[in-house]
Amino acid sequence: MPKLRINDREIEVPEGTSVLDAIFHAGYDVPYFCSERHLSPIGACRMCLVKVGAPRKGKDGDWIRDEEGNPRIFWFPKLMAACTTRATEGMVVDTLADEVKKAQAGMVEFHLENHPLDCPTCDKGGACELQDRSYEYGLFEKYYTQTQNGLKTVLYSRFAFTKRHADKHHKLSEFVVLDRERCIHCKRCVRYFEEIPGEEVLDFIERGNHTFIGSEEVPLPAGFSGNITDICPVGALLDLTARFRARNWEFEKTPTVDMNDAFGAAIWVDSRSGRIERIRAREHPETNEIWIADAARFGHGWTVRDRVTAPLIRKDGELVPASLAEAEAYLRERLARVRGEEVGLLLAADGTLEEGYAFAEAARALKADHFGFENATRFPAANLPAARFEELLSAEFALVIGDPAEEMPNLYLRLQEFLKGITPAPRYYHGTPIADLRLEERMPRRKERLAVFAAYPTRLHRFAGIAGVYPPGSAGPLVEALSAILNGKRPEPVPGVPEAELRRVAERFLAAGSRAIVVGAEVLEAPEAAQAVADLARSKGALVFAMPPAAGARGLEAVGLWNPRGPGWEEPGARFLFAFGATPPAEVLASARLRVLALSHLDPQARAHADLVLPAKTFYEKRGYTVNAEGRLLELRPAPTAPMGSMDGLEALAFWLRAMGKKPPAAHYREARERLHERYRLPLDLPEEGFFWRPKLRLAARTGKDEGELFLQPTMWKERMLRDDRVRTALGAPRLRVHPATAKKLGLAQGARVEVATRYGRRDATVALDPSLAEGALLLPAYGRGTGRRVPYRLLVPAGGEA
């Protein structure tokens, strides 16, 4: 570890540290614009210029020394960009010299030369790096004027000319707008797309004073585009969902965890006047670093539309508002003399650990057969060992069966690091390195380290050395065939995947010193395939990373909200239903005598079947714990946006149980947290990085298998997000993807509008012929319901007749 001196302080830093990070590590500061955490340093903005010197060795191999016997410092003839200069042994850095201050002030002036003075109308105002650096390092020439009361100081500007004008409101997508006048050409957004999601869609166009950021691909590819609004140092790239909604200092900023998938990404929920206005990524190096998916960032609009704000009771076939007292009286009357085994309890997929504990304890006390959580797969994720993200990055070979870009978007970004051979960066006093010299522009992806198989071509396929597409439902045969090859046996044929490809996978799998297997919902829905993955990992010493479709799956399974004996929630049976945050399938609702749903928003099935609806909080508004896919315990904090009277799962369940004359296992958050601490010794106060909790469980898998022909394709976007007009416009009509030969048999033409009916409701879709699919495949976006399953369907033309 090299030792160097920053001004008057001597420090020691890891090998390969940039001078910029060494300066911050020493407690000093220099301005910068182009550098950003997790992006390659390029020295484009020249803001971080510092005076650098270093000792030299003579011909005898010893340091050249001065008159006092100390190593002589040879100063570089010009100031150096700290972000691209490597810290070396004996180096001396001066950030306080007059020439350094003058150079930094001059660079601030250059950045302001053509920058518009529209701070009062810019959404970045109050959180703008250019504003901050102008104030801290700007060059101000003063002169004095005589006034009645004496001398008055006046700041003088040298910008006595017309500034460059450019496109002010260039819409890059439904979510992101570009203001080219404000762009300072730091190149953060350009580097981000190439280095993080691996999509080169933005670049510099033209030269000199005419340079601007542009894209041939408009709109920007949905998935990960919103992160550029976070890392833009000025107001050039803005989030259209939050534009002009408030000034930065007016937001109430709540740190919490995104529950749209099981990754556990850290987010900021910015709210104002009781409504969510903006979602931003929150730095959490152990999980999402500083990135989140577009669905997590832009998919919050549904929370402010048509909220259920009071209990609704069905009268004369319609749901009408009622008081809480009326709802309680209604429940007491309907639940009198109800036996516990007749009750069914369902919790939302994003339920907290406290809610899961209360629902599991209530089901045990009632001896209920029907209980569980939404989107629970047939094979519990708890039965597969959970690999940490750091362990995944250190593997030499990875086999992926599924679609990480849609099932767990942040894992897709982590796999990009895996392909480039990037391991977690060292930590400094200031945290994550700002200029990590291990990163370079256009770093090659080592495709030979990755094999990807799925029921359709995924984003990850183009980065894989071995890739294949199989018919939906063939994930099990694929795993069993690969396992047979690895054990020296003859494999059974896998449709769409040549045996030679599987043998190549087996060769690389065995040749790797460490290997990982990543599986998605389709594998977890096939218990035989999931068990084969577990056995394969155990026998070959491989890491396993599961992507369950329920955000809180690992935690909810761990606290007992798992029922392999009774019928699943996909089958009718319970006579008295209570569901929080989720709506069961239509046939399940239709078969019950009483249907009580606690929802934040009504959906068509709730409007048609619910007898009582209670106002519920969204996951943004709940306090509690969750366990992510790697087994990390994380904390949710509530944003102040829930309508008065809204309940979390604990309060709503207690309301139901008291109406039955039963005592709730935990009526509120604090009580549930204490119960969890007593039973599982979970910490009451979590550290910021979370806490690993991996109880040893062996849960029995659910029986049953998919029998339908329609495959519900994983999507990062959820059904609730489609309530937002902007999201619907950006995504367009859902596509029913069909192989051309299959479409011919069904009489479907490219672009035809159809209605697809499944147990999860009806959805309008546009037919898209896709020859890359296996023949016989029909794919429809799941939007979070039935992800990875094959279900029966009915195909209707818009007029309602059979197609």
Side-chain angles (χ1 to χ4, degrees):
M1 296 179 67
K3 295 180 180 179
L4 65 159
R5 189 172 78 247
I6 310 294
N7 299 326
D8 58 344
R9 299 174 187 172
E10 291 192 0
I11 61 170
E12 189 175 20
V13 294
E15 187 67 41
T17 298
S18 66
V19 169
L20 181 70
D21 285 305
I23 292 170
F24 279 95
H25 186 67
Y28 286 98
D29 179 66
V30 288
Y32 65 89
F33 285 129
C34 63
S35 290
E36 179 56 271
R37 295 158 295 175
H38 307 290
L39 296 182
S40 61
I42 58 171
C45 70
R46 316 309 291 178
M47 281 298 307
C48 60
L49 294 174
V50 292
K51 187 177 180 181
V52 180
R56 295 179 186 172
K57 290 186 177 181
K59 295 181 179 180
D60 58 357
D62 191 15
W63 296 114
I64 299 175
R65 300 182 181 276
D66 57 20
E67 295 80 0
E68 299 178 358
N70 298 318
R72 181 182 172 188
I73 301 301
F74 293 84
W75 296 96
F76 287 93
K78 293 185 178 181
L79 301 182
M80 305 288 289
C83 64
T84 55
T85 304
R86 187 181 300 269
T88 59
E89 181 67 31
M91 180 178 280
V92 176
V93 179
D94 189 345
T95 70
L96 304 177
D98 289 340
E99 59 182 310
V100 172
K101 292 180 179 180
K102 184 176 180 180
Q104 292 172 349
M107 291 312 302
V108 170
E109 188 176 31
F110 277 130
H111 280 89
L112 291 172
E113 180 180 4
N114 279 306
H115 199 81
L117 297 178
D118 56 359
C119 300
T121 60
C122 178
D123 268 26
K124 204 76 170 185
C128 175
E129 294 181 40
L130 184 56
Q131 281 183 333
D132 294 340
R133 297 311 184 189
S134 298
Y135 179 78
E136 295 168 344
Y137 296 94
L139 178 63
F140 297 106
E141 294 192 12
K142 300 180 181 180
Y143 69 94
Y144 303 93
T145 60
Q146 185 69 39
T147 66
Q148 188 174 4
N149 298 321
L151 291 177
K152 178 182 178 182
T153 304
V154 180
L155 299 181
Y156 171 71
S157 171
R158 295 194 289 176
F159 298 139
F161 51 83
T162 301
K163 296 189 176 187
R164 180 195 64 181
H165 293 289
D167 194 355
K168 284 293 291 180
H169 310 291
H170 182 69
K171 198 174 180 181
L172 294 178
S173 72
E174 286 295 319
F175 304 118
V176 179
V177 66
L178 169 63
D179 189 323
R180 287 178 174 150
E181 276 192 355
R182 296 173 183 164
C183 179
I184 61 171
H185 304 160
C186 67
K187 209 180 180 184
R188 286 188 188 180
C189 55
V190 175
R191 285 176 290 150
Y192 162 78
F193 273 110
E194 189 280 322
E195 296 175 15
I196 306 303
E199 300 165 334
E200 295 194 43
V201 294
L202 287 178
D203 207 346
F204 286 140
I205 300 174
E206 297 195 18
R207 300 291 297 276
N209 198 43
H210 301 286
T211 302
F212 65 93
I213 294 291
S215 172
E216 290 185 359
E217 189 171 347
V218 177
L220 293 177
F224 307 96
S225 63
N227 290 308
I228 59 177
T229 65
D230 275 350
I231 64 176
C232 181
V234 293
L237 292 161
L238 295 174
D239 177 351
L240 277 172
T241 66
R243 196 168 180 227
F244 302 140
R245 297 300 305 174
R247 308 300 295 181
N248 279 286
W249 56 86
E250 296 174 330
F251 288 123
E252 294 188 60
K253 302 173 177 63
T254 305
T256 186
V257 175
D258 175 58
M259 294 293 285
N260 286 302
D261 60 60
F263 190 90
I267 59 174
W268 289 103
V269 178
D270 292 346
S271 58
R272 184 191 184 206
S273 301
R275 59 178 281 159
I276 296 174
E277 301 290 5
R278 182 174 67 180
I279 303 292
R280 294 176 294 126
R282 179 165 60 92
E283 184 178 15
H284 198 269
E286 292 78 14
T287 56
N288 59 300
E289 296 175 334
I290 59 172
W291 318 117
I292 56 175
D294 282 355
R297 182 184 301 275
F298 302 125
H300 59 83
W302 62 277
T303 61
V304 299
R305 294 172 179 266
D306 304 321
R307 287 291 294 262
V308 177
T309 58
L312 302 173
I313 297 178
R314 188 169 297 277
K315 294 180 179 179
D316 300 325
E318 297 291 333
L319 289 172
V320 297
S323 67
L324 197 61
E326 290 175 311
E328 184 177 7
Y330 176 85
L331 263 188
R332 288 186 182 279
E333 179 184 351
R334 299 295 301 273
L335 293 177
R337 296 180 297 279
V338 170
R339 299 193 308 274
E341 57 268 23
E342 297 179 298
V343 171
L345 301 176
L346 173 65
L347 181 61
D350 56 21
T352 66
L353 206 60
E354 292 84 352
E355 292 171 339
Y357 165 80
F359 271 71
E361 289 297 297
R364 183 185 59 81
L366 294 172
K367 299 181 180 178
D369 286 331
H370 288 73
F371 67 91
F373 57 92
E374 187 186 28
N375 288 341
T377 52
R378 292 188 175 91
F379 190 88
N383 284 5
L384 293 173
R388 297 173 61 174
F389 298 132
E390 291 83 356
E391 296 171 335
L392 191 60
L393 292 177
S394 63
E396 295 180 13
F397 180 78
L399 167 65
V400 177
I401 307 174
D403 185 2
E406 296 292 340
E407 298 187 66
M408 200 173 287
N410 276 92
L411 180 61
Y412 171 82
L413 301 184
R414 284 291 184 141
L415 288 171
Q416 294 291 326
E417 296 179 4
F418 163 79
L419 288 167
K420 293 187 287 187
I422 299 172
T423 54
R427 302 287 289 170
Y428 298 92
Y429 287 145
H430 59 282
T432 306
I434 300 167
D436 190 344
L437 294 178
R438 302 176 306 159
L439 308 180
E440 301 173 1
E441 286 192 279
R442 291 182 170 80
M443 288 183 71
R445 267 84 169 171
R446 297 170 56 188
K447 295 185 176 183
E448 70 278 1
R449 302 182 66 186
L450 182 66
V452 179
F453 294 93
Y456 54 90
T458 70
R459 290 191 185 195
L460 201 57
H461 269 67
R462 65 190 180 99
F463 297 107
I466 306 172
V469 175
Y470 54 75
S474 298
L478 175 77
V479 175
E480 292 166 4
L482 181 60
S483 180
I485 294 173
L486 289 170
N487 291 313
K489 300 178 181 178
R490 181 77 178 176
E492 294 292 329
V494 180
V497 182
E499 183 179 327
E501 291 292 280
L502 292 177
R503 292 194 176 277
R504 287 178 60 204
V505 174
E507 289 175 6
R508 294 186 183 179
F509 192 88
L510 294 174
S514 57
R515 67 281 292 196
I517 306 174
V518 179
V519 297
E522 187 180 6
V523 173
L524 296 176
E525 287 293 345
E528 298 83 3
Q531 188 59 55
V533 168
D535 296 339
L536 180 61
R538 191 177 303 109
S539 63
K540 303 300 180 183
L543 302 169
V544 178
F545 195 96
M547 301 183 291
R554 280 199 176 271
L556 300 179
E557 291 167 357
V559 295
L561 200 62
W562 178 265
N563 181 20
R565 300 182 306 278
W569 265 97
E570 303 301 320
E571 304 297 332
R575 301 178 66 190
F576 298 86
L577 292 178
F578 174 71
F580 179 85
T583 305
E587 62 266 30
V588 177
L589 289 169
S591 67
R593 288 177 53 188
L594 177 67
R595 297 151 289 242
V596 179
L597 309 179
L599 301 171
S600 60
H601 297 75
L602 290 177
D603 57 33
Q605 292 179 180
R607 292 182 186 275
H609 297 285
D611 297 303
L612 172 63
V613 178
L614 299 174
K617 295 179 179 179
T618 67
F619 75 82
Y620 299 110
E621 299 152 352
K622 292 192 290 188
R623 184 183 297 278
Y625 293 145
T626 186
V627 180
N628 75 347
E630 60 172 346
R632 191 187 298 268
L633 192 69
L634 300 168
E635 186 174 2
L636 282 77
R637 300 179 180 91
T641 59
M644 186 175 294
S646 298
M647 306 177 184
D648 61 23
L650 294 168
E651 296 163 335
L653 179 63
F655 187 80
W656 166 280
L657 291 174
R658 286 175 181 140
M660 287 186 67
K662 306 290 185 182
K663 182 181 178 181
H668 49 79
Y669 160 74
R670 290 187 180 277
E671 185 179 358
R673 188 175 69 159
E674 290 172 1
R675 297 284 185 273
L676 289 171
H677 175 69
E678 292 170 3
R679 177 171 298 186
Y680 302 108
R681 308 311 302 170
L682 296 180
L684 295 178
D685 294 308
L686 284 178
E688 183 61 30
E689 66 273 12
F691 169 82
F692 276 101
W693 185 47
R694 295 170 176 170
K696 294 183 179 179
L697 301 172
R698 295 303 302 171
L699 304 176
R702 286 196 176 98
T703 57
K705 60 181 180 180
D706 294 332
E707 298 179 352
E709 298 176 347
L710 178 68
F711 180 73
L712 297 176
Q713 177 183 338
T715 55
M716 70 170 70
W717 302 93
K718 303 298 182 282
E719 191 170 29
R720 59 198 177 196
M721 299 175 182
L722 301 181
R723 296 190 182 98
D724 187 0
D725 296 337
R726 192 183 297 275
V727 172
R728 285 201 308 273
T729 301
L731 298 183
R735 294 192 305 160
L736 178 65
R737 298 170 64 186
V738 191
H739 187 276
T742 307
K744 187 175 181 181
K745 293 178 184 178
L746 297 174
L748 297 174
Q750 174 74 17
R753 299 298 298 271
V754 295
E755 186 179 12
V756 185
T758 70
R759 67 194 319 166
Y760 301 107
R762 296 189 174 190
R763 183 166 290 127
D764 292 329
T766 301
V767 174
L769 305 186
D770 191 346
S772 65
L773 301 178
E775 189 170 346
L778 285 89
L779 277 67
L780 188 70
Y783 293 130
R785 302 196 69 190
T787 299
R789 295 178 181 174
R790 288 180 297 124
V791 298
Y793 74 99
R794 286 186 301 129
L795 202 58
L796 310 173
V797 297
E802 296 277 339

